[in-house]
Amino acid sequence: MESNQTWITEVILLGFQVDPALELFLFGFFLLFYSLTLMGNGIILGLIYLDSRLHTPMYVFLSHLAIVDMSYASSTVPEMLANLVMHKKVISFAPCILQTFLYLAFAITECLILVVMCYDRYVAICHPLQYTLIMNWRVCTVLASTCWIFSFLLALVHITLILRLPFCGPQKINHFFCQIMSVFKLACADTRLNQVVLFAGSAFVLVGPLCLVLVSYLHILAAILRIQSGEGRRKAFSTCSSHLCVVGLFFGSAIVMYMAPKSSHSQEQRKILSLFYSLFNPMLNPLIYSLRNAEVKRALKRVLWKQRSM
């Protein structure tokens, strides 16, 4: 890198380029959704912690998903909310790169946690007699730890490649946070290697796991149809349909965002897609699991009954 190149020290996030009155409305709207995200996932975490009947591998992984959702939303939404009410929408370069790293790490973690949850359901329904042997606490700890460690290492690879680039402008990012493809545009050098690595990483953590999920659910569906008990079949469908809804929402929006051709979506459409999987998806996850999961609803009733009787 040549010594006469000037590194940018701050970045302007253009965000949603709308009227000031509409910005205030968006601030209130997004603040409500962010509050619901924290509250919903916090309730899920609290229920799993307080109710001993939820101390099973499935709900342990669900607690990890709740932590990821809160962290994922918190890595981007507070900065977006601040920019909606501030006239100078500036972020320093170092916090911008940190934001890129965190949202990448949490996004990959969520993807892997969803795959592990699918594996848990596969073992529970297709191999019920061996479930406690296969999904023991040691295996659960190893699976969860691997998801977190691998995700942060892969995000670190992307950030290391980004920091090798010279950043000498432009200073403006046409997004509401430091999204990795928008950060590439700040570089005054060839970013083809970064884009190839990003595409390969996206294929590895999105397409590969999605194929595993789909194959697993084909086996799960076949096993459910073989269940003689109507109550057992309904219970299996209830837990699996909740997980399948979450998988569809997350993988669908992420694949469209990172693997579709650039020309197929405008920048404004990409902002909406980013908003969907960074704010709306984390908010919907606890709603899906609480409304479609009988165990979670019963746990909530037990906790509320204990509070009333105290």
Side-chain angles (χ1 to χ4, degrees), residues 129-147:
L129 299 178
Q130 299 172 292
Y131 179 71
T132 54
L133 180 64
I134 297 174
M135 297 301 294
N136 57 61
W137 288 111
R138 181 176 175 276
V139 170
C140 292
T141 303
V142 169
L143 287 173
S145 301
T146 301
C147 290

Side-chain angles (χ1 to χ4, degrees), residues 145-200:
S145 301
T146 301
C147 290
W148 285 94
I149 294 170
F150 176 81
S151 302
F152 275 76
L153 288 177
L154 184 55
L156 188 61
V157 169
H158 290 299
I159 295 303
T160 302
L161 290 174
I162 286 175
L163 292 177
R164 293 176 67 250
L165 298 170
F167 289 93
C168 47
Q171 286 183 278
K172 294 180 180 180
I173 289 181
N174 188 14
H175 217 295
F176 60 86
F177 73 105
C178 293
Q179 200 261 356
I180 186 168
M181 289 185 289
S182 298
V183 172
F184 289 163
K185 297 177 182 178
L186 301 177
C188 47
D190 189 2
T191 61
R192 278 180 294 184
L193 174 62
N194 300 73
Q195 292 175 25
V196 168
V197 173
L198 179 63
F199 184 85

Side-chain angles (χ1 to χ4, degrees), residues 108-128:
I108 299 168
T109 306
E110 176 153 358
C111 175
L112 298 181
I113 290 291
L114 288 173
V115 174
V116 169
M117 291 175 72
C118 174
Y119 176 69
D120 173 72
R121 290 300 84 204
Y122 167 76
V123 176
I125 294 171
C126 297
H127 305 282

Side-chain angles (χ1 to χ4, degrees), residues 43-241:
I43 289 172
I44 293 288
L45 273 176
L47 287 176
I48 294 171
Y49 176 77
L50 294 171
D51 196 314
S52 59
R53 299 184 193 185
L54 298 184
H55 294 175
T56 62
M58 173 184 171
Y59 294 103
V60 169
F61 294 133
L62 181 57
S63 68
H64 281 274
L65 183 66
I67 293 170
V68 172
D69 282 336
M70 289 191 291
S71 304
Y72 191 28
S74 298
S75 68
T76 58
V77 176
E79 182 70 29
M80 178 186 69
L81 292 174
N83 288 340
L84 283 171
V85 294
M86 292 173 62
H87 295 293
K88 193 177 181 182
K89 304 173 182 181
V90 173
I91 181 172
S92 299
F93 185 73
C96 179
I97 295 298
L98 178 61
Q99 187 181 62
T100 304
F101 170 73
L102 290 176
Y103 100 83
L104 276 175
F106 292 132
I108 299 168
T109 306
E110 176 153 358
C111 175
L112 298 181
I113 290 291
L114 288 173
V115 174
V116 169
M117 291 175 72
C118 174
Y119 176 69
D120 173 72
R121 290 300 84 204
Y122 167 76
V123 176
I125 294 171
C126 297
H127 305 282
L129 299 178
Q130 299 172 292
Y131 179 71
T132 54
L133 180 64
I134 297 174
M135 297 301 294
N136 57 61
W137 288 111
R138 181 176 175 276
V139 170
C140 292
T141 303
V142 169
L143 287 173
S145 301
T146 301
C147 290
W148 285 94
I149 294 170
F150 176 81
S151 302
F152 275 76
L153 288 177
L154 184 55
L156 188 61
V157 169
H158 290 299
I159 295 303
T160 302
L161 290 174
I162 286 175
L163 292 177
R164 293 176 67 250
L165 298 170
F167 289 93
C168 47
Q171 286 183 278
K172 294 180 180 180
I173 289 181
N174 188 14
H175 217 295
F176 60 86
F177 73 105
C178 293
Q179 200 261 356
I180 186 168
M181 289 185 289
S182 298
V183 172
F184 289 163
K185 297 177 182 178
L186 301 177
C188 47
D190 189 2
T191 61
R192 278 180 294 184
L193 174 62
N194 300 73
Q195 292 175 25
V196 168
V197 173
L198 179 63
F199 184 85
S202 300
F204 182 74
V205 301
L206 291 174
V207 178
L210 182 58
C211 292
L212 290 175
V213 168
L214 293 177
V215 170
S216 298
Y217 267 102
L218 287 175
H219 289 283
I220 289 171
L221 180 60
I224 290 175
L225 294 176
R226 288 195 298 267
I227 296 175
Q228 300 298 322
S229 166
E231 180 63 28
R233 193 178 298 169
R234 280 193 296 272
K235 184 178 179 181
F237 267 122
S238 175
T239 55
C240 291
S241 61

